[in-house]
Amino acid sequence: MVRNRVQRLLTAINRRMMKLLIALALIAYVASVWGNFVNMSRSIQETGEQKMEKQLEEFIAPLREKIRDLEKSFTQKYPPVKFLSEKDRKRILITGGAGFVGSHLTDKLMMDGHEVTVVDNFFTGRKRNVEHWIGHENFELINHDVVEPLYIEVDQIYHLASPASPPNYMYNPIKTLKTNTIGTLNMLGLAKRVGARLLLASTSEVYGDPEVHPQNEDYWGHVNPIGPRACYDEGKRVAETMCYAYMKQEGVEVRVARIFNTFGPRMHMNDGRVVSNFVLQALQGESLTVSINCMFK
Ligand SMILES: NC(=O)c1ccc[n+]([C@@H]2O[C@H](COP(=O)([O-])OP(=O)(O)OC[C@H]3O[C@@H](n4cnc5c(N)ncnc54)[C@H](O)[C@@H]3O)[C@@H](O)[C@H]2O)c1
């Protein structure tokens, strides 16, 4: 009786063990199949990724080459610039710096190693006159009309902003007057505020229609205040007066340069002054125009 019971118990245990073993074997099988499946999909994914990486690399390589070329051309494009120590390097503002004279002055001061800010409203000036400096760490170009105030920190100001050739300054006489009066006042105010030295680009036109030849600086001129050129001539004369008033009253350091007819590269084709007209006519194989003004008294 006891023996039978023990035997039944053992058979029941064996059956459970068998079930457990079968279940374990099943789990092991499923796990190994799953592992193989994961490995397989991983390797498929890896080869797919490698292929894509290769294709991308082939696509990007010529672009990388182009970028390298561009970087090279960028680093090579600036004219040589001297190194100046912090103490000697000046922060210089050039108004009208995109014009004919201003752009050459920009070149000179940049090559001397200074920090140059060009302010221009591009009335007669062109961006391309200074484009070879765009991007240089010492250079800045601001599109601004000097008739509006400007707030900037500088050590020196070269104030050249003004149309210079008769067709340009007679095109809008009121604007020419504003540029030379309000514009100059703004620049002198700035010079006073930041303690900068200012140079005014004046003109031989302050002598008007002179009765003395050649004109020296003691000569006061012979100017018609209501003539067709008065907006420029009188504009520059009052600009000079303002400079000296700021010097005497406010202690601003000023310089005035009376420039006579200047010509050279970057001058506008339609400038309209005699030397550039001659050069243009000669280049086009035309006769040179000489007009004579005779005054009989
Ligand atoms: N070139 C000469 O023979 C000559 C002779 C005498 C005096 N100047 C003086 O030298 C300076 C430069 O003359 P240039 O021959 O180079 O002339 P330009 O016309 O080539 O240059 C004048 C520059 O001033 C800019 N400008 C004009 N009005 C402005 C304003 N309101 N705000 C900001 N910018 C303005 C123009 O866009 C231009 O870039 C002028 O002041 C001119 O009176 C020149």
Side-chain angles (χ1 to χ4, degrees):
M1 175 96 170
V2 174
R3 210 174 150 193
N4 277 349
R5 271 192 190 164
V6 169
Q7 227 166 5
R8 244 182 275 142
L9 186 69
L10 280 174
T11 332
I13 288 171
N14 274 350
R15 259 192 231 129
R16 266 187 208 145
M17 282 289 284
M18 281 297 284
K19 275 184 192 164
L20 193 70
L21 280 173
I22 289 167
L24 279 174
L26 258 172
I27 289 169
Y29 177 71
V30 168
S32 83
V33 169
W34 179 250
N36 282 346
F37 175 72
V38 168
N39 281 346
M40 228 167 70
S41 59
R42 204 175 283 158
S43 75
I44 288 169
Q45 201 180 333
E46 271 169 12
T47 42
E49 273 171 11
Q50 276 168 359
K51 253 189 203 167
M52 264 178 61
E53 258 174 36
K54 210 176 153 198
Q55 278 174 349
L56 256 176
E57 193 53 43
E58 278 167 13
F59 180 71
I60 287 171
L63 290 178
R64 273 214 193 103
E65 195 64 31
K66 267 188 194 161
I67 290 170
R68 227 169 281 141
D69 287 349
L70 271 174
E71 277 173 351
K72 259 190 223 160
S73 70
F74 269 125
T75 47
Q76 286 167 358
K77 95 177 171 171
Y78 303 115
V81 167
K82 266 190 219 158
F83 173 77
L84 282 185
S85 66
E86 190 79 17
K87 177 172 69 72
D88 299 322
R89 195 166 59 231
K90 299 270 181 288
R91 296 162 305 169
I92 300 174
L93 165 65
I94 306 178
T95 72
F100 157 54
V101 177
S103 61
H104 288 287
L105 181 62
T106 300
D107 287 353
K108 165 81 178 123
L109 294 172
M110 279 295 294
M111 289 198 276
D112 283 352
H114 297 290
E115 288 173 24
V116 175
T117 301
V118 163
V119 160
D120 207 297
N121 71 349
F122 304 109
F123 173 49
T124 52
R126 295 287 171 267
K127 225 181 240 179
R128 66 167 169 270
N129 288 344
V130 288
E131 71 181 354
H132 46 288
W133 294 115
I134 291 174
H136 193 286
E137 57 185 354
N138 287 353
F139 181 75
E140 204 174 346
L141 177 61
I142 303 176
N143 186 340
H144 177 85
D145 194 314
V146 292
V147 171
E148 303 298 329
L150 179 72
Y151 302 100
I152 186 175
E153 298 298 318
V154 284
D155 305 308
Q156 295 182 354
I157 302 169
Y158 288 82
H159 180 39
L160 276 69
S162 164
S165 89
N168 289 330
Y169 65 64
M170 288 194 284
Y171 171 75
N172 186 344
I174 296 172
K175 180 67 197 215
T176 303
L177 273 169
K178 281 186 180 169
T179 298
N180 280 296
T181 54
I182 303 172
T184 304
L185 269 183
N186 282 336
M187 289 308 121
L188 283 163
L190 174 66
K192 180 189 153 192
R193 186 176 68 79
V194 298
R197 188 165 76 193
L198 179 142
L199 178 136
L200 170 73
S202 186
T203 170
S204 55
E205 298 291 323
V206 294
Y207 301 118
D209 194 359
E211 295 158 312
V212 173
H213 294 279
Q215 299 86 44
N216 61 37
E217 288 179 4
D218 300 327
Y219 180 55
W220 291 351
H222 181 236
V223 183
N224 176 1
I226 54 169
R229 290 167 174 250
C231 59
Y232 183 68
D233 302 1
E234 297 290 18
K236 287 289 185 185
R237 283 170 74 91
V238 80
E240 286 196 12
T241 310
M242 286 168 177
C243 287
Y244 283 87
Y246 264 79
M247 184 185 78
K248 283 178 198 138
Q249 193 178 319
E250 305 291 349
V252 175
E253 225 189 310
V254 295
R255 303 283 187 278
V256 172
R258 289 181 184 157
I259 305 171
F260 282 65
N261 250 341
T262 311
F263 58 94
R266 299 191 195 143
M267 207 164 183
H268 210 280
M269 294 280 271
N270 306 321
D271 182 83
R273 276 172 286 184
V274 66
V275 180
S276 62
N277 278 355
F278 281 172
V279 172
L280 205 64
Q281 286 174 323
L283 285 174
Q284 289 169 344
E286 293 172 5
S287 316
L288 308 186
T289 315
V290 180
S291 55
I292 301 168
N293 257 344
C294 288
M295 298 254 298
F296 297 102
K297 290 188 180 168

